[in-house]
Amino acid sequence: MAALDVGGTKLEAGVVDSGGRILARRRAPTVADDAEDLLSTVVGLLEAVLDESGEEPCALGIGCGGPMGPPDPDHPERGARDVSPLNIAQWRSFPLGPRLLEHFGIPVRVDNDAKALALGEGRHGAAVGERNYLAMVVSTGVGGGIVLDGRLLDGGSGNAGHIGHLVVDPGGRMCPCGSRGCLEAQISGTAIAESTGAPAEVAPVEVRRRAGTLAGRAVGSVCALLDLQLAVVAGSVALGYGADFFDAAQQELDRTARIDFAREAVIRPGGCGADGPLLGAAAVGLEALASGRPAATA
């Protein structure tokens, strides 16, 4: 399975076998002059890992920052969903899946990167064997995916689970989405760097703990809304902050999720580590094949 993770800071391509072993991988910064230049970088990464692995992939799965546009109702067989990642200005309503289908000629499916993580954690990570959970990414941006009764939720336009746009601080920073106080505007790597004037990875303990607290607040609302007992959190900010983040997040979750069915909810670090984005992207491709969806489903 060919896999591609499209993030606001980096692009990563890989080839993943059925057991979750990464056979080849390449990375590049998400830097480009325009949309086509960025697509060329993506194509180059994918061609390089396919050459290195020597594999003939059965499909290409892609996890990409959101939001996503809905599939084109007039051409569902082309899976013509546009991507408009908030942290990638070059791509607005960009037909990523169809363009890569055209180039590689194999089944392609695109989904939100945090929804991809949810699938990956369910197959290989901290949510193996769980039928109900939230998966969350705290990195350059903040996203989420929800598995309920064993099924990944899509929603009306495929963007279900976007926890980064829950308002956790009504008087907080403006968010790129246009609202104020969204979780993403408070605890993403981008937001922390802008608010502290330094890279997110060197933030002081109080900033790290505040990020965890606000994440726990958002998770508490989701657990109460959807009757969940588990949240799996990954991404460079959350995993990089470690105990400072996760201890504060669990304390806030315990404080806010007080209704009986959510009271025992826990927050765990993602179990796939740095491999999570590629394992999730590969899981997106496997889901497309398993469902028998058309070749360029997005």
Side-chain angles (χ1 to χ4, degrees):
M1 178 67 64
L4 173 68
D5 176 59
V6 178
T9 302
K10 68 172 176 64
L11 307 166
E12 186 171 26
V15 176
V16 182
D17 70 14
S18 58
R21 187 165 60 103
I22 297 175
L23 306 178
R25 71 196 310 164
R26 295 286 180 93
R27 293 180 178 180
T30 310
V31 177
D33 293 330
D34 55 33
E36 294 299 323
D37 188 26
L38 190 58
L39 181 65
S40 294
T41 300
V42 165
V43 169
L45 288 173
L46 286 166
E47 289 179 339
V49 295
L50 292 175
D51 286 346
E52 180 182 339
S53 70
E55 296 288 313
E56 291 290 336
C58 55
L60 166 60
I62 303 171
C64 181
M68 308 280 168
D72 182 348
D74 295 326
H75 300 286
E77 77 285 354
R78 294 190 346 222
R81 173 181 287 179
D82 296 336
V83 299
S84 300
L86 291 179
N87 294 305
I88 303 178
Q90 296 94 333
W91 281 352
R92 288 293 176 267
S93 299
F94 189 77
L96 180 60
R99 292 293 301 275
L100 292 177
L101 169 66
E102 179 182 5
H103 185 89
F104 288 101
I106 59 175
V108 175
R109 187 183 182 193
V110 186
D111 211 335
N112 182 277
D113 55 356
K115 290 172 65 187
L117 175 75
L119 293 175
E121 288 289 340
R123 285 180 177 271
H124 306 290
V128 171
E130 301 287 345
R131 290 182 55 79
N132 300 282
Y133 60 92
L134 163 70
M136 183 174 165
V137 177
V138 184
S139 187
T140 304
V142 177
I146 295 166
V147 172
L148 202 60
D149 297 328
R151 294 180 59 251
L152 180 68
L153 299 187
D154 284 329
S157 62
N159 290 291
H162 219 319
I163 192 172
H165 298 283
L166 285 183
V167 174
V168 293
D169 182 2
R173 293 166 44 85
M174 287 296 298
C175 181
C177 77
S179 185
R180 181 180 292 278
C182 292
L183 185 64
E184 179 164 313
Q186 309 303 309
I187 74 167
S188 68
T190 301
I192 290 171
E194 289 176 351
S195 62
T196 64
E201 58 265 28
V202 300
V205 170
E206 60 269 22
V207 172
R208 296 170 181 238
R209 288 192 60 83
R210 180 176 184 270
T213 295
L214 294 179
R217 187 174 302 169
V219 168
S221 294
V222 174
C223 288
L225 177 67
L226 296 176
D227 191 7
L228 302 180
Q229 291 285 302
L230 173 64
V232 176
V233 186
S236 59
V237 171
L239 297 180
Y241 288 0
D244 290 332
F245 179 97
F246 285 97
D247 289 349
Q250 187 65 55
Q251 289 171 14
E252 185 70 2
L253 174 59
D254 292 343
R255 188 186 72 82
T256 56
R258 303 304 302 159
I259 193 166
D260 286 349
F261 59 79
R263 193 169 291 176
E264 301 300 319
V266 296
I267 293 179
R268 295 178 190 163
C272 295
D275 294 340
L278 285 184
L279 294 179
V284 167
L286 288 172
E287 287 286 309
L289 291 178
S291 68
R293 294 184 182 182
T297 276

